[in-house]
Amino acid sequence: MTAPLYIALRFATHRKRALLLSLVGVVFGVAIFICTQAQTQGFAQYFINSTIGSSGAMVLRTKFQPRYEGLAVAAKNTTGATNRRNYFEGVSNVSEIMRVSRQFSNVVACAPVLRGNVSARAGFENASVEIYGIDPASQLKATDLATQIIAGKFDDFSNNTSAVIIGYKLADFLNVGAGDAIQILSPGGEYWRFTVAAIARSGVGTVDLNRVYAHARVAQRLLKKPYQASMIIYKLRNPSRAPELANHFEELFQHRTESWQEREEGNLQIFFTLQVSAAITVSLIILLAGFGIFNVLTMSVLSKVREIAILRSMGYRRIDISSIFLWQGALIAGVGSLLGCVLGAVLTWGISKVPIHIRGLLYTNHFLVVWDWRHYFWATLLAVVAVFIASYVPSQRAAHLQPVDTLRGSSL
Amino acid sequence: MNGEVSLSCRDLERYLGKEEERVHALRGVSLDIEAGSLHAVVGPSGCGKSTLLYILGLLDQPDAGSIIIASENVSDLPDQEWSRRRNELIGFIFQFHFLMEDFTAEENVMMPMRRLGHLSESEMRDRAAALLHDVDLGDKLRRESRHLSGGEQQRVAIARALANDPQVILADEPTGNLDTRNSERAFALLADLVRQRRKALLLVTHNRFIADACDWVHEMQDGRIIGSHPRGQRGSITTNV
């Protein structure tokens, strides 16, 4: 053990109350940082998982053709990049696109979907809904639909072409359960009768309120669409790389392709803002703890002026003196961060058990948290930086005290 | 002075304070202190005794002049080198003993050794115990310094000054805070150790009996040494020793 560390430990342990106060600041700062990040990211992560699970990590839809304008010079006040495409409804050559798509390592599965807006009726209730014509086998591979079933059976849907799966909020609204019948109004003005084979809960409010899954061929006839699919949804190995793949597919297949990040940009921005806001608030707590440590160490320097002069007279260098106070800071940062991480984990676990009733954008019955080592890393880093800054100034002050001033003042 | 010189200074000048309060504290002070000898600096308060001691102890920078310790001119060395030489070559004893309150007698004596870093923990402990035994505190190794009497604290300070076996010991009123009995005892102990171990001792004192017991007495007035007297030739000392 070096001499400055040895002396720092003794100085720190002989001022227990000050040490404890400094530690408490760091411990709570780190713990609350971890806890708030776990919560805000918990809700965000749940939303992301739900939306990817029900609508795919990436969606390819709407064929386009680039519009060439030859050598014509654009007018000065026009933006060159916009409106250069002609869009055509539906996906052409679905099988070929899916076959090529599967060659990409990031693509786990893909499924064609024929989408359209219709009206659903049960009893006296009517609702505008989004019908998803799916191939059950492909859909199972590309989405979490099977795990989202909360009533009825997926097989009952697979084996019956006049069966549908509806969102749980829609089921509540229409007041129907598994096995009940609903009617869907086709664009041609006819009511088609379907059996509700299962009820699904994706966790995303809009999906659970609007979506009806039907068999693709039935949906094609119902919607009177000339094409087989209006979109292909993809399950990806690494959803975070969806934007790059979407750009690539757009160029490759000449179809508009949208990543989940683009699709959910608005919601993701809300979550991000909340997360940053929480991080700023908690960082202020850690900064306040830093001010506390600054005060404690400054007082420590003032109370140890005599000891500093003695040490200097014994040959301790300026760097040794500053190290004594930096070590005290490091001790507070190290122990405080460690205890803060433990407390943060305990609080996160406790909060995940707190009951909460959310039925809007998300569906949850308790606080959602995410366990991520990066929260602990950033909290510790923030605490270490704050404590280092807080201890650096007093340590430099201690190092530059003139021992002779103290000695002369005491011995004249 | 015929012996080996451990510490000497030439033409030291020092000004203290600024502008109107500026004082010429040392005016061309020169001294030679040999190994195994005891030198006392006497003079009225404010004559520059302590200033001289701190400059010789490399705790304060002279405005002019040179300091030679162990045959090396150390006047212009950087602060880090001064610290190293203070640690290796100089031992300090102060009037108010200046022990570290949160540490035991043994830990106080080990403090200079820790900085030096030449000995293991157990070797440092053994050496501290031996030094404290030499100053009759062998039974109070583990006692916190604040729980020692004034005389005991000063003896711990003497042991600490000898911790790294320095060539020079500088003492600023080492008995100024002790009663007569403890004062005589502490000085006798210090004198014995200095002579046995061939250290050079320079002490600042107001105590006539202690000054008389030293090999040399340097009389200071207004920042100058106005007279240096070997033992037995001190009839001319007129200051309030």
Side-chain angles (χ1 to χ4, degrees), chain A residues 147-221:
Chain A
T147 59
Q148 292 170 357
I149 303 293
I150 57 167
K153 288 180 182 168
F154 189 81
D155 286 346
D156 293 347
F157 167 73
S158 301
N159 301 331
N160 181 359
T161 54
S162 63
V164 290
I165 298 172
I166 64 172
Y168 88 97
K169 279 188 160 183
L170 181 62
D172 283 350
F173 181 75
L174 297 175
N175 199 20
V176 294
D180 291 345
I182 63 166
Q183 290 181 309
I184 291 178
L185 182 63
S186 76
E190 307 158 334
Y191 275 105
W192 291 42
R193 186 187 164 86
F194 291 92
T195 304
V196 177
I199 293 169
R201 183 168 61 214
S202 69
V204 181
T206 51
V207 171
D208 293 333
L209 185 61
N210 297 322
R211 196 166 292 181
V212 174
Y213 294 97
H215 285 263
R217 291 198 181 282
V218 177
Q220 193 177 8
R221 287 205 308 276

Side-chain angles (χ1 to χ4, degrees), chain A residues 270-304:
Chain A
I270 293 170
F271 285 120
F272 181 70
T273 308
L274 281 173
Q275 200 178 338
V276 171
S277 164
I280 289 170
T281 310
V282 179
S283 300
L284 288 176
I285 296 175
I286 293 181
L287 279 180
L288 279 177
F291 277 119
I293 291 161
F294 174 82
N295 284 333
V296 165
L297 286 178
T298 302
M299 292 305 291
S300 174
V301 169
L302 292 175
S303 70
K304 297 291 180 192

Side-chain angles (χ1 to χ4, degrees), chain A residues 3 6-7 10-11 14 304 306-307 310-318 320 402-404 406-408 410-412, chain B residues 16 51 54 59-60 79-80 83 86-87 92 94-96 98-103 107 111-112 114-115 144 160 172:
Chain A
Y6 168 79
I7 296 166
R10 295 298 292 270
F11 278 3
H14 273 84
K304 297 291 180 192
R306 205 182 70 122
E307 277 80 358
I310 299 167
L311 289 168
R312 291 283 284 145
S313 75
M314 285 191 281
Y316 281 75
R317 300 163 299 173
R318 288 188 200 282
D320 296 323
Q402 293 298 331
V404 73
T406 310
L407 299 171
R408 191 176 272 130
S410 306
S411 61
L412 271 175
Chain B
L16 295 176
T51 302
Y54 297 141
L59 284 168
D60 196 11
D79 184 73
Q80 192 157 325
S83 296
R86 272 203 302 277
N87 185 239
F92 274 101
F94 299 100
Q95 180 180 359
F96 296 101
F98 275 175
L99 297 183
M100 308 270 287
E101 282 186 358
D102 299 334
F103 297 80
E107 287 165 343
M111 208 61 84
R114 285 191 187 281
R115 170 79 277 282
E144 279 199 8
R160 187 180 65 186
D172 190 5

Side-chain angles (χ1 to χ4, degrees), chain A residues 30 33 286 333 337 341 373-389:
Chain A
V30 168
F33 183 94
I286 293 181
S337 299
C341 285
W373 64 269
R374 282 171 293 196
H375 300 156
Y376 298 79
F377 171 78
W378 284 113
T380 302
L381 187 69
L382 193 61
V384 167
V385 169
V387 174
F388 175 76
I389 293 168

Side-chain angles (χ1 to χ4, degrees), chain B residues 64-80:
Chain B
S66 59
I67 305 159
I68 293 143
I69 302 176
S71 309
E72 183 192 13
N73 187 341
V74 295
S75 316
D76 297 323
L77 293 177
D79 184 73
Q80 192 157 325

Side-chain angles (χ1 to χ4, degrees), chain A residues 225-283:
Chain A
K225 296 282 187 186
Y227 44 84
Q228 190 187 346
S230 50
M231 59 187 188
I232 299 171
I233 61 178
Y234 290 89
K235 182 175 188 174
L236 301 181
R237 227 164 239 111
N238 182 1
S240 66
R241 301 203 60 192
E244 291 91 331
L245 193 63
N247 286 338
H248 187 59
F249 275 23
E250 201 161 284
E251 282 196 18
L252 183 67
F253 299 124
Q254 299 288 292
H255 279 70
R256 170 92 179 94
T257 311
E258 195 180 37
S259 64
W260 64 270
Q261 290 95 330
E262 193 182 346
R263 184 177 73 226
E264 303 296 347
E265 193 179 7
N267 288 324
L268 291 176
Q269 275 179 352
I270 293 170
F271 285 120
F272 181 70
T273 308
L274 281 173
Q275 200 178 338
V276 171
S277 164
I280 289 170
T281 310
V282 179
S283 300

